[in-house]
Amino acid sequence: MEQRVPLPSATRYQSGLVETLVHNEAHSSGVSWAAVIGGAFVAAALSLTLLALGTGLGFSSVSPWSNVGASATTIGMAAVVWLILMQIISSSMGGYLAGRLRTKWTNIHTDEVYFRDTAHGFLAWAVALVITAAFLASSAASMVGDTVSSPARGAGTAAGVQLDGQEINPNAYFVDMLFRSDSAKPDSNGASVRGEAGRIFANALRQREIPPSDKSYLTQLVAASTGLTQPDADKRVSDVFGAAQQAADSARKVVAHSLLWAFLALLIGAFCASLGATIGGRQRDHVVVV
């Protein structure tokens, strides 16, 4: 009866001066991080490159003049399509490189090889996403810091929001309530009145309605500043607050739709990266050594 002798963990073959050592792959790492990081950096670099190209094309098609250039709807749809194309191109390339460059296993079942290739593509996509997000967040933080430290600090906006440390105080609205008088007496330049009205509107938008005391006070301010009668001033306050609510709701819908499209684009990117890694791994395994 034939007796099988177990093979050692490493078997040495000699052919002239060439020696090949086959190691037991059960003790090797299942992830080639060098290939994953390389594919991730390629995907992140392509994403930023395509983002710069898309931003340039978008700005070149927008014009401040009426009936000139693309409409806002067209720009929005083009941005969504470009975002999806960015994910397809960059993720496919990064995943392909991660699968093609990873270490080849010779003693593993074919299904396991496909799974590991797919996992390498997904890991490359995930690392690229983290790198891109970190870069964009750092750029945004730098831009915000430059804006705050600019010479225009403290100039304020039409809504009365200033950057001198006073308007950004979350308790500014309640501090204003402490010093309200029964008769509204706005100052000559109207800066403090506009700032206080902006804070009242911000608090009302958070509560989704204007408290009666705030509405009465705003009516007095508008009547004193514009010369309108009390009923007309009250109607203006109601109309403007309704318009502000509508604008806030429109902004909320735009942000929600943008996030949903971004989720779809990232999902497509993850699939393309995994598929690209599988294709790259198949081509790697079919390479004939001469």
Side-chain angles (χ1 to χ4, degrees):
M1 186 175 181
E2 183 179 0
Q3 183 178 5
R4 296 183 179 181
V5 180
L7 295 177
S9 60
T11 306
R12 186 179 299 275
Y13 300 89
Q14 295 183 357
S15 177
L17 300 177
V18 179
E19 297 181 352
T20 304
L21 185 63
V22 180
H23 295 280
N24 185 3
E25 294 176 347
H27 301 287
S28 61
S29 175
V31 180
S32 297
W33 284 108
V36 169
I37 295 176
F41 272 105
V42 169
L46 281 177
S47 295
L48 295 175
T49 303
L50 295 175
L51 178 62
L53 176 61
T55 304
L57 293 176
F59 278 119
S60 63
S61 61
V62 176
S63 175
W65 306 104
S66 60
N67 299 326
V68 177
S71 62
T73 304
T74 304
I75 293 296
M77 293 303 300
V80 169
V81 173
W82 187 256
L83 180 61
I84 295 176
L85 287 178
M86 280 175 48
Q87 283 295 310
I88 292 176
I89 296 174
S90 60
S91 299
S92 298
M93 181 60 68
Y96 175 83
L97 291 178
R100 187 69 183 268
L101 295 178
R102 79 163 179 83
T103 305
K104 177 181 178 181
W105 292 291
T106 57
N107 295 335
I108 297 180
H109 193 269
T110 305
D111 293 338
E112 182 66 18
V113 172
Y114 286 160
F115 170 77
R116 294 191 180 188
D117 288 334
T118 304
H120 276 70
F122 185 79
L123 287 174
W125 168 83
V127 175
L129 180 61
V130 172
I131 294 174
T132 305
F135 177 81
L136 294 178
S138 177
S139 300
S142 177
M143 293 176 61
V144 171
D146 293 340
T147 302
V148 172
S149 60
S150 63
R153 177 182 180 181
T157 62
V161 178
Q162 300 178 0
L163 299 176
D164 57 2
Q166 178 181 0
E167 301 295 339
I168 60 177
N169 183 4
N171 296 321
Y173 167 73
F174 302 101
V175 173
D176 292 337
M177 292 180 62
L178 292 175
F179 297 97
R180 287 182 184 176
S181 60
D182 295 335
S183 59
K185 296 179 180 179
D187 58 354
S188 57
N189 57 18
S192 62
V193 174
R194 293 175 183 271
E196 186 177 5
R199 290 187 290 270
I200 293 175
F201 263 42
N203 181 73
L205 288 174
R206 285 195 298 267
Q207 297 181 1
R208 301 183 180 181
E209 63 178 358
I210 302 181
S213 59
D214 289 348
K215 187 175 182 180
S216 176
Y217 183 72
L218 278 178
T219 301
Q220 295 180 19
L221 289 179
V222 173
S225 300
T226 62
L228 294 174
T229 61
Q230 289 291 328
D232 292 339
D234 183 78
K235 183 178 182 300
R236 176 175 292 187
V237 170
S238 300
D239 293 342
V240 172
F241 180 70
Q245 281 185 314
Q246 185 176 2
D249 187 64
S250 299
R252 177 190 61 82
K253 291 180 180 179
V254 169
V255 172
H257 292 166
S258 301
L259 292 177
L260 290 176
W261 281 114
F263 167 77
L264 178 61
L266 293 176
L267 195 64
I268 294 175
F271 173 79
C272 291
S274 302
L275 180 62
T278 303
I279 296 174
R282 186 182 299 113
Q283 293 183 358
R284 176 205 61 230
D285 293 340
H286 290 169
V287 172
V288 178
V289 181
V290 179

